[in-house]
Amino acid sequence: MASHDEATKSHEVIVVMVPFPAQGHLNQLLHLSRHISSCRIPVHYVSTITHTRQAKSRVHGWDPLSISNTMIRFHEFATPCFESPLPNPHAAIKFPSHLQPSFDAALLLREPVARLLYALSATSRRVVVIHDFLMGSVIQDVASLPNGEAYCFQPVSTFLISSYVWALVGTPMEIDDEILKQIPADGTTSTPEVREFTERQMEHQKYSSGAIFNTCRAIEAPFLDVLAKVNARQWAIGPLNAVQICNTANKQHKDKCLEWLDNQAPDSVILVSFGTTTCLTDEQIHALAIGLESSRQKFIWVLRDADKGDIFMGDVRVCELPEGYEDRIESSGQGKILRDWAPQVEILAHASTGGFMSHCGWNSCMESITMGVPLATWPMHSDQPLNALLVTQVLKIGVVVMDWACRDELVESLAIEKSVRMLMDSREGKEIRKRAADLGAAVKRSVGEGGDSRREFDDFIAHIHR
């Protein structure tokens, strides 16, 4: 919590971050806070008590004690207690509807956020609010500040966002009819409650002075060009995740997986992880276990249940594996099974990691692409089916494990085995890995001196200092 002196100290420009309370959203704006604070701009990161704690506890890829982060001030605001149901692995739609109460509670941050904005307004020439697009109603009071302005942060791909305006401004040439046929129908990726929530937040986009994207032209140039036709101002400044890994980060995980990776051949291991909001049935977990073992490929499997509304409260479901499986896999040296938070960026950056079986959340996609690692796609909900299309059909840096058209069916162990073998041990997989490595190199160049993302970030910093 920022002290009164810290919150009222006079500065030329102050930035206030308002993330949405889900891990993939919290994480991206925390990364952006780090980048902006490195420019000696004070950043105030605002969320609920639970979610601010969650964001700080899951920092990975960089050292949270580094000097640049001393200018990040965390604000932990209380919200009314909410009762969040447990994740349901048998839900017809995989969207984490059990988190809806925490989403609704986060909208009650409007009043404390407004108080903070008014206090900061008196101590700065300009107060800049960067908010998740799902938190528009929370920051609407910025419009009443004489020196305030807001920018909408989009934590999803521009491939997804631009698809909503293709009918108005034209479909990019990279998108053919076959890809268009695979765009998911409305209602298949989320619940009615979250669609209504999103629509209510979109009504407050009128307060935004521009859009910020966690992507770069090396990945999504055609779709950024589409959005430039409808956005007055936009900045593509990704990847926000660490590109050069801090060697002092996540030392506690070294014995679990990174040292094991040190003893594996280059590009020989596939990481299997489905993010923080995925909940698989026991039957699907068993099929996945058999498929991975039968592939005879090395793997690290992050096997954990979906986050609850409060990750620090109550028991967590332990995902069951076939009897003797875990001991057999680890004793044979084929793999490692992690049941807690894992250092995903560090694993992807390791020379021994050659593939990533993923739910295709945008964080995971960007981290994998940045590190030049191809994906085996298994989308679950929200933006993930579109991201999987981008990876496999547009960028051509991945293979399909679960076809979205078959989302209601069990993914059989044989299909999993074939997908893993194709990515990790085939001529086609070798070509995919080469494209992924080339794209990763281009993305890293984009954040270097003179790169597109670096220039756009510098332009944004200059803009808020104007």
Side-chain angles (χ1 to χ4, degrees):
M1 188 75 160
S3 69
H4 177 75
D5 289 343
E6 291 168 336
T8 58
K9 184 179 178 181
S10 180
H11 292 281
E12 182 75 2
V13 175
I14 291 176
V15 172
V16 179
M17 294 284 181
V18 186
F20 182 70
Q23 180 58 37
H25 300 245
L26 294 164
N27 185 51
Q28 293 188 62
L29 280 188
L30 185 53
H31 284 316
L32 181 54
S33 297
R34 173 183 176 244
H35 289 300
I36 291 178
S37 70
S38 71
C39 299
R40 309 307 298 170
I41 298 174
V43 177
H44 295 255
Y45 186 95
V46 176
S47 192
T48 69
I49 294 172
T50 295
H51 293 101
T52 300
R53 180 184 173 195
Q54 177 178 325
K56 290 192 289 185
S57 70
R58 289 178 168 179
V59 168
H60 63 293
W62 48 276
D63 181 3
L65 300 178
S66 62
I67 295 174
S68 67
N69 301 310
T70 60
M71 297 193 75
I72 302 176
R73 306 289 181 251
F74 292 94
H75 296 263
E76 304 173 355
F77 291 125
T79 53
C81 293
F82 54 87
E83 185 174 347
S84 182
L86 294 175
N88 179 12
H90 300 284
I93 295 177
K94 291 295 184 182
F95 184 87
S97 57
H98 64 285
L99 298 179
Q100 189 67 46
S102 66
F103 299 163
D104 294 335
L107 299 186
L108 300 176
L109 291 174
R110 177 185 174 182
E111 185 176 336
V113 167
R115 289 198 302 268
L116 175 64
L117 294 180
Y118 292 138
L120 295 175
S121 176
T123 67
S124 176
R125 183 175 65 85
R126 177 170 291 123
V127 177
V128 174
V129 178
I130 300 176
H131 66 97
D132 192 291
F133 84 107
L134 290 174
M135 297 292 278
S137 67
V138 172
I139 60 88
Q140 60 184 291
D141 296 285
V142 71
S144 65
L145 299 181
N147 57 344
E149 56 192 36
Y151 297 88
C152 179
F153 177 76
Q154 291 286 357
V156 295
S157 66
T158 57
F159 174 60
L160 167 66
I161 302 168
S162 70
S163 69
Y164 292 113
V165 298
W166 291 346
L168 298 175
V169 301
T171 304
M173 61 180 297
E174 289 79 6
I175 305 302
D176 58 28
D177 290 342
E178 194 58 38
I179 294 176
L180 285 173
K181 292 177 185 176
Q182 299 178 63
I183 301 291
D186 287 344
T188 64
T189 63
S190 64
T191 63
E193 291 79 11
V194 81
R195 289 196 295 276
E196 180 185 353
F197 182 101
T198 302
E199 289 171 5
R200 283 189 283 123
Q201 296 309 301
M202 294 302 290
E203 294 173 3
H204 297 279
Q205 296 307 306
K206 60 187 177 184
Y207 302 114
S208 176
S209 298
I212 302 171
F213 303 108
N214 181 14
T215 191
C216 63
R217 296 194 63 81
I219 303 172
E220 295 194 281
F223 314 114
L224 285 164
D225 289 342
V226 167
L227 291 175
K229 297 177 182 178
V230 296
N231 289 330
R233 288 186 178 276
Q234 65 180 37
W235 295 269
I237 59 176
L240 297 177
N241 56 267
V243 174
Q244 300 298 328
I245 301 302
C246 172
N247 292 327
T248 61
N250 292 301
K251 285 185 176 180
Q252 67 271 27
H253 293 283
K254 190 71 173 178
D255 292 337
K256 288 185 176 181
C257 60
L258 298 178
E259 285 188 356
W260 183 81
L261 279 171
D262 289 342
N263 296 316
Q264 309 307 316
D267 295 332
S268 64
V269 177
I270 184 168
L271 171 64
V272 181
S273 180
F274 299 114
T276 57
T277 60
T278 293
C279 193
L280 296 177
T281 64
D282 289 339
E283 184 182 17
Q284 187 62 83
I285 290 171
H286 280 225
L288 178 54
I290 294 169
L292 289 173
E293 185 176 21
S294 300
S295 74
R296 299 187 179 182
Q297 303 300 306
K298 299 289 185 74
F299 64 88
I300 291 177
W301 184 1
V302 183
L303 179 59
R304 57 189 302 277
D305 208 20
D307 280 353
K308 297 176 298 179
D310 185 341
I311 66 170
F312 304 103
M313 295 289 289
D315 296 329
V316 177
R317 168 190 172 218
V318 177
C319 300
E320 296 295 334
L321 289 166
E323 186 176 354
Y325 181 87
E326 194 163 352
D327 289 340
R328 184 169 69 251
I329 290 299
E330 297 211 7
S331 62
S332 69
Q334 185 180 359
K336 299 286 290 183
I337 296 172
L338 308 181
R339 293 182 177 272
D340 200 355
W341 184 251
Q344 181 167 294
V345 177
E346 288 91 332
I347 294 172
L348 290 170
H350 200 285
S352 296
T353 303
F356 183 16
M357 185 183 294
S358 172
H359 64 305
C360 296
W362 191 236
N363 269 293
S364 290
C365 287
M366 285 298 291
E367 290 167 4
S368 197
I369 291 170
T370 302
M371 302 308 170
V373 176
L375 293 111
T377 64
W378 192 328
M380 304 289 178
H381 59 79
S382 305
D383 60 326
Q384 298 162 18
L386 268 294
N387 295 341
L389 272 180
L390 173 67
V391 165
T392 58
Q393 302 294 310
V394 181
L395 301 176
K396 301 186 186 303
I397 57 167
V399 300
V400 174
V401 181
M402 195 280 287
D403 187 332
W404 186 249
C406 304
R407 62 191 175 277
D408 296 327
E409 303 172 13
L410 179 76
V411 183
E412 300 287 353
S413 58
L414 182 58
I416 295 166
E417 175 189 344
K418 287 183 176 179
S419 297
V420 172
R421 283 181 177 270
M422 178 182 293
L423 185 64
M424 303 297 292
D425 190 25
S426 73
R427 177 175 296 180
E428 181 180 353
K430 185 176 181 179
E431 294 171 354
I432 290 171
R433 290 197 302 276
K434 174 64 165 58
R435 284 194 291 271
D438 290 345
L439 180 56
V443 170
K444 287 180 178 178
R445 287 195 297 272
S446 74
V447 297
E449 194 68 35
D452 290 333
S453 286
R454 176 64 179 273
R455 288 199 303 270
E456 295 211 21
F457 177 75
D458 291 344
D459 180 66
F460 177 72
I461 296 300
H463 175 73
I464 63 176
H465 269 296
R466 69 192 186 283

